[in-house]
Amino acid sequence: DAKTTQPNSMESNEEEPVHLPCNHSTISGTDYIHWYRQLPSQGPEYVIHGLTSNVNNRMASLAIAEDRKSSTLILHRATLRDAAVYYCILKNSGGSNYKLTFGKGTLLTVNP
Amino acid sequence: GAVVSQHPSRVICKSGTSVKIECRSLDFQATTMFWYRQFPKQSLMLMATSNEGSKATYEQGVEKDKFLINHASLTLSTLTVTSAHPEDSSFYICSAAFGTAGSPLHFGNGTRLTVT
């Protein structure tokens, strides 16, 4: 599986935007970029995913570099409930491999 | 949206007993389900891939006779931890896939297993 690199931790203040970076220099043409987050003592929650174009949904925005070797998850206004571990994962769309392999993720702390 | 229900959320058992954890996809048919294990302050580790109607595929280092997986229908997969020991105490999480391989996975809320 192509690997991703994320900072171990980041800090933000409530109601400010947060930009969570992810590097994936070995991404292949059929890899989707997925983001999940995990709140304490809960299962991961899907946040957003994309292939080439930037994506927006009610939770966040995903900005994908033109060469696709990096991406940024954007939380427009962080709340205390956004404090979680955020995982950036590449998911291959070829064949029937649905597997997700988790890295260490970024622990986001949101200060009141 | 798609929902995955995992039960129980928390279980305490004695060493040597077996524990069964259920994972249900509530509003979709999941052709593939995954079981993960997570130790404190660590990331999720994939244990096995469960395919409906066939044998599960286990990741390297995961004992298939200890962690029995049954995926008898398109909406239910079970993980049985047999002859549990304290070192099996962990957070077990299931997830379910539907749609194309590039589609998101949906996760249960996890089961906290404590073996005394």
Side-chain angles (χ1 to χ4, degrees):
Chain A
D1 294 334
K3 291 186 186 286
T4 63
T5 305
Q6 300 177 253
N8 289 334
S9 62
M10 289 186 66
E11 222 172 299
S12 171
N13 295 320
E14 205 174 3
E15 298 191 5
E16 290 184 356
V18 182
H19 290 232
L20 296 162
C22 181
N23 287 321
H24 27 78
S25 58
T26 60
I27 191 170
S28 76
T30 51
D31 284 336
Y32 277 81
I33 302 160
H34 282 238
W35 283 83
Y36 294 79
R37 71 180 185 182
Q38 187 180 22
L39 280 63
S41 298
Q42 293 189 26
E45 174 187 28
Y46 165 75
V47 178
I48 200 166
H49 77 291
L51 185 62
T52 56
S53 304
N54 294 344
V55 185
N56 299 299
N57 66 20
R58 64 176 180 80
M59 289 181 70
S61 295
L62 177 60
I64 301 172
E66 201 168 326
D67 64 5
R68 300 207 326 124
K69 293 187 176 182
S70 65
S71 62
T72 303
L73 179 71
I74 302 166
L75 306 179
H76 296 284
R77 288 183 69 212
T79 69
L80 297 178
R81 288 175 295 177
D82 291 323
V85 178
Y86 286 78
Y87 297 98
C88 167
I89 305 171
L90 300 183
K91 192 167 188 293
N92 195 280
S93 60
S96 59
N97 182 8
Y98 292 75
K99 210 157 64 165
L100 269 186
T101 302
F102 284 78
K104 294 184 179 180
T106 297
L107 174 63
L108 175 66
T109 302
V110 180
N111 300 313
Chain B
V3 177
V4 174
S5 174
Q6 194 172 335
H7 179 80
S9 58
R10 192 177 291 270
V11 58
I12 300 172
C13 71
K14 292 188 175 179
S15 191
T17 61
S18 296
V19 173
K20 181 186 282 188
I21 303 169
E22 291 188 350
C23 180
R24 293 181 184 273
S25 56
L26 295 184
D27 54 1
F28 65 98
Q29 293 184 329
T31 51
T32 305
M33 288 185 172
F34 301 95
W35 288 96
Y36 292 84
R37 180 168 54 181
Q38 186 175 34
F39 292 108
K41 299 196 184 300
Q42 293 188 23
S43 188
L44 284 78
M45 286 176 46
L46 181 64
M47 298 175 67
T49 302
S50 166
N51 295 298
E52 186 266 337
S54 63
K55 288 185 179 179
T57 303
Y58 291 82
E59 296 297 303
Q60 194 171 10
V62 178
E63 298 175 58
K64 63 179 181 181
D65 294 330
K66 180 164 185 64
F67 299 99
L68 300 179
I69 292 171
N70 184 284
H71 193 161
S73 77
L74 285 172
T75 60
L76 174 64
S77 176
T78 60
L79 168 69
T80 302
V81 182
T82 63
S83 186
H85 290 285
E87 56 265 31
D88 298 324
S89 299
S90 189
F91 193 49
Y92 292 86
I93 305 166
C94 73
S95 70
F98 74 104
T100 64
S103 300
L105 290 189
H106 301 276
F107 290 83
N109 265 334
T111 297
R112 176 78 57 195
L113 171 63
T114 303
V115 185
T116 61

